[in-house]
Amino acid sequence: MRKYMVAGNWKMNKSLAEGIQLAKEVDAAVEAAGKLLCEVVIAPAFLHLSEVSKAVGAKVSVSAQNCAAEASGAYTGEVSAAMLQSAGIPYVIIGHSERRTYYGETDAILAKKAELALANGLKPIFCIGEELSQRDSGKYLDVVKGQIENGLFRFSADEFSKIVIAYEPVWAIGTGRTATSEQAQEVHAFIRKTVADKYGSAVADNVTILYGGSCNENNAKELFARPDIDGGLIGGASLVADKFIRIVTAF
Ligand code: PEP
């Protein structure tokens, strides 16, 4: 069964007290909303993961925003997949465009991170997406295909089935310029077909593919109504509980 998901990427925002407060607000709103059609995930900073985890109940999961590409050892400042696992964190975002752009994370590095995440029982939320010049040149499907092939196609079907893909066109992240639901659906359907060609249609039908890029409480419903859009990875709008919950309940 394909799972739907709305995940909030808090990035480098919120103090510890603010993060706990936001988590409690999200949790209360999720409880009040009753039965939801999607899984709800929030991704605070590493430092806040444990406290935020304690602030939410069973209906809200917590994700890290990143993990190290090495298993352990002399890597000052890094946080390993094993550490996340030992802290009870179920998800990790890997390959967000801000990591790719500002920290030089290549497909090869991201593949190692995904490998370590899976080996430690974490579920990766693996981000892909083209830059504006790549969209304008018409090459965006090739870019997305390359990111999937290089980052994820080393895994067995069983391993791959634990991965959530987030399609986030870089030109839509934090810009207020959302992909239209037609543009997003085109790429999501292409991603699902690419997965089907490699792993077969059963795996492809079940893979969760999120859209990210200026998704908000006003456009979520139209995006989520598309057949291959299984939810959202939400940046800015996840920092305000009311907005985030309106996205969660857009299903
Ligand atoms: C993101 O950073 O993953 C994201 C989608 O950000 P925003 O919603 O702010 O565009």
Side-chain angles (χ1 to χ4, degrees):
M1 258 297 274
R2 193 187 304 172
K3 279 211 284 191
Y4 302 116
M5 176 185 287
V6 173
N9 175 13
W10 293 0
K11 309 191 187 189
M12 199 172 69
N13 291 297
K14 304 290 178 190
S15 67
L16 177 57
E18 289 165 349
I20 291 170
Q21 175 65 25
L22 175 56
K24 285 183 173 165
E25 286 171 15
V26 168
D27 191 60
V30 163
E31 282 298 335
K35 188 163 166 44
L36 292 176
L37 295 176
C38 65
E39 184 165 0
V40 180
V41 178
I42 52 178
F46 279 134
L47 184 62
H48 301 168
L49 281 167
S50 290
E51 290 300 319
V52 165
S53 293
K54 287 182 212 154
V56 295
K59 290 187 182 170
V60 178
S61 300
V62 173
S63 174
Q65 299 174 16
N66 181 27
C67 69
E70 305 294 338
S72 67
Y75 300 100
T76 302
E78 290 290 278
V79 174
S80 71
M83 289 171 177
L84 294 173
Q85 189 273 334
S86 71
I89 306 304
Y91 287 101
V92 56
I93 298 170
I94 293 176
H96 190 280
S97 75
E98 287 149 21
R99 301 295 317 172
R100 291 178 186 260
T101 305
Y102 304 145
Y103 302 97
E105 296 192 358
T106 60
D107 287 340
I109 291 170
L110 299 172
K112 280 181 79 181
K113 292 187 177 202
E115 209 168 289
L116 285 162
L118 289 168
N120 285 283
L122 303 176
K123 287 174 263 186
I125 300 172
F126 194 91
C127 303
I128 57 176
E130 81 283 359
E131 291 173 8
L132 185 57
S133 60
Q134 295 166 326
R135 168 139 302 249
D136 288 345
S137 71
K139 294 263 183 340
Y140 53 100
L141 296 179
D142 293 338
V143 171
V144 162
K145 188 172 187 191
Q147 289 171 333
I148 299 173
E149 284 175 347
N150 297 331
L152 299 178
F153 277 3
R154 63 181 53 209
F155 298 118
S156 68
D158 193 41
E159 290 169 325
F160 185 86
S161 301
K162 300 186 173 79
I163 295 169
V164 171
I165 295 175
Y167 168 60
E168 301 205 295
V170 179
W171 47 271
I173 297 178
T175 59
R177 181 182 164 189
T178 325
T180 64
S181 65
E182 287 83 6
Q183 287 174 319
Q185 168 59 26
E186 181 201 19
V187 181
H188 281 234
F190 174 78
I191 292 169
R192 206 175 299 284
K193 176 167 185 322
T194 304
V195 173
D197 291 344
K198 167 79 176 168
Y199 293 110
S201 57
V203 171
D205 283 346
N206 282 341
V207 65
T208 300
I209 308 174
L210 308 180
Y211 168 77
S214 300
C215 180
N216 60 38
E217 67 282 13
N218 300 316
N219 56 33
K221 208 175 185 65
E222 183 183 338
L223 285 158
F224 298 171
R226 295 284 175 165
D228 291 295
I229 301 180
D230 307 319
L233 180 55
I234 318 297
S238 73
L239 296 172
V240 180
D242 179 54
K243 291 184 181 185
F244 186 60
I245 286 304
R246 285 166 66 193
I247 299 170
V248 166
T249 53
F251 267 108

